[in-house]
């Protein structure tokens, strides 16, 4: 049907949404019926995608990801609340540290800015500890972004680049400052 699998070699920016191969020819009535069914499917699919987009916009992780998942289906949630049950599963072997850091930092930052009432019973000292913790988490974001990049493309050059950047981050820490580093 097409001259090439390479999109750049195809003229006219042809995009194929649905292809059917049938053994017999189509009558005029069947063509009209199939066209109507395709329109119904297309409208239903567009409506379904709009509903999913509205749902995603209301999720707590919408500020982090363009297509966020519900928090209960994330590895962070599983690690925090289901650790006793993941022994021998794929979640046990994978490294979700960078992703978990990102989610926990986002949740805590949102809590301090949008849900101040949560901290109503905290003493001034406790609020200082929360503030210090959030400051340390926010300063450490580059470290975990670099770890995520390393895990996405694991290679010797990428590991060396990661270690060089970690060394640079460590040398920039002043006395009395705190920063989190991933353990790989």
């Amino acid at each position: 049907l097409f001259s090439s699998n390479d999109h750049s070699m195809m003229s006219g920016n042809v995009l194929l949404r649905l292809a059917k191969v049938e053994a017999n020819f189509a009558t005029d009535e069947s063509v009209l019926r199939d066209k109507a069914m395709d329109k119904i499917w297309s409208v239903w699919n567009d409506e379904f995608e709009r509903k999913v987009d509205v749902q995603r916009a209301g999720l707590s992780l919408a500020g982090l990801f363009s297509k966020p998942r519900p928090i209960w289906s994330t590895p962070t949630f599983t690690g925090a609340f289901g650790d006793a049950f993941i022994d021998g599963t794929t979640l046990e072997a994978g490294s979700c540290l960078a992703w978990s850091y990102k989610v926990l930092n986002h949740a805590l930052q949102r809590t301090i800015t949008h849900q101040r009432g949560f901290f109503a019973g905290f003493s001034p000292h406790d609020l200082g500890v929360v503030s210090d913790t959030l400051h340390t988490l926010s300063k450490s974001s580059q470290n975990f972004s670099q770890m995520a990049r390393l895990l996405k493309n694991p290679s010797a050059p990428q590991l060396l680049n990661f270690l060089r950047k970690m060394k640079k981050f460590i040398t920039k820490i002043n006395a009395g400052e705190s920063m989190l580093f991933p353990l790989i």
Side-chain angles (χ1 to χ4, degrees):
L1 290 175
F2 298 105
S3 61
S4 176
N5 283 337
D6 184 9
H7 181 69
S8 64
M9 300 295 287
M10 296 292 292
S11 62
N13 292 328
V14 175
L15 295 176
L16 186 63
R17 186 170 184 172
L18 174 67
K20 292 182 183 177
V21 178
E22 298 183 7
N24 46 8
F25 68 94
T27 63
D28 290 343
E29 296 83 27
S30 67
V31 169
L32 291 174
R33 184 181 63 244
D34 290 345
K35 184 177 178 184
M37 289 300 292
D38 289 345
K39 282 184 181 179
I40 291 171
W41 170 255
S42 179
V43 168
W44 180 85
N45 192 41
D46 291 344
E47 187 175 312
F48 177 76
E49 286 179 4
R50 274 193 295 277
K51 285 180 183 177
V52 168
D53 289 342
V54 167
Q55 180 189 24
R56 284 182 176 152
L59 294 175
S60 59
L61 300 180
L64 282 178
F65 306 104
S66 60
K67 293 184 177 181
R69 297 184 287 183
I71 189 73
W72 59 85
S73 68
T74 63
T76 305
F77 188 84
T78 305
F81 298 104
D83 191 36
F85 306 104
I86 63 172
D87 187 25
T89 68
T90 56
L91 290 172
E92 182 182 35
S95 178
C96 302
L97 182 63
W99 202 88
S100 296
Y101 163 81
K102 198 171 193 180
V103 169
L104 289 173
N105 183 38
H106 177 72
L108 290 172
Q109 298 291 345
R110 281 184 48 104
T111 301
I112 198 79
T113 56
H114 299 295
Q115 297 174 342
R116 296 276 311 175
F118 179 78
F119 300 104
F122 283 39
S123 70
H125 176 266
D126 294 339
L127 287 174
V129 170
V130 169
S131 177
D132 290 346
T133 302
L134 291 174
H135 179 70
T136 300
L137 282 172
S138 66
K139 282 181 28 182
S140 305
S141 65
Q142 289 181 333
N143 303 341
F144 288 91
S145 295
Q146 292 300 319
M147 180 187 180
R149 183 175 291 142
L150 173 65
L151 293 174
K152 187 175 181 180
N153 302 310
S155 65
Q158 190 71 17
L159 176 61
L160 289 174
N161 186 34
F162 171 79
L163 293 173
R164 277 190 210 107
K165 288 186 178 182
M166 291 301 110
K167 180 181 176 186
K168 187 186 294 185
F169 292 145
I170 290 170
T171 58
K172 287 184 179 180
I173 297 175
N174 296 322
E177 290 183 338
S178 300
M179 187 177 284
L180 298 175
F181 287 92
L183 180 64
I184 56 170

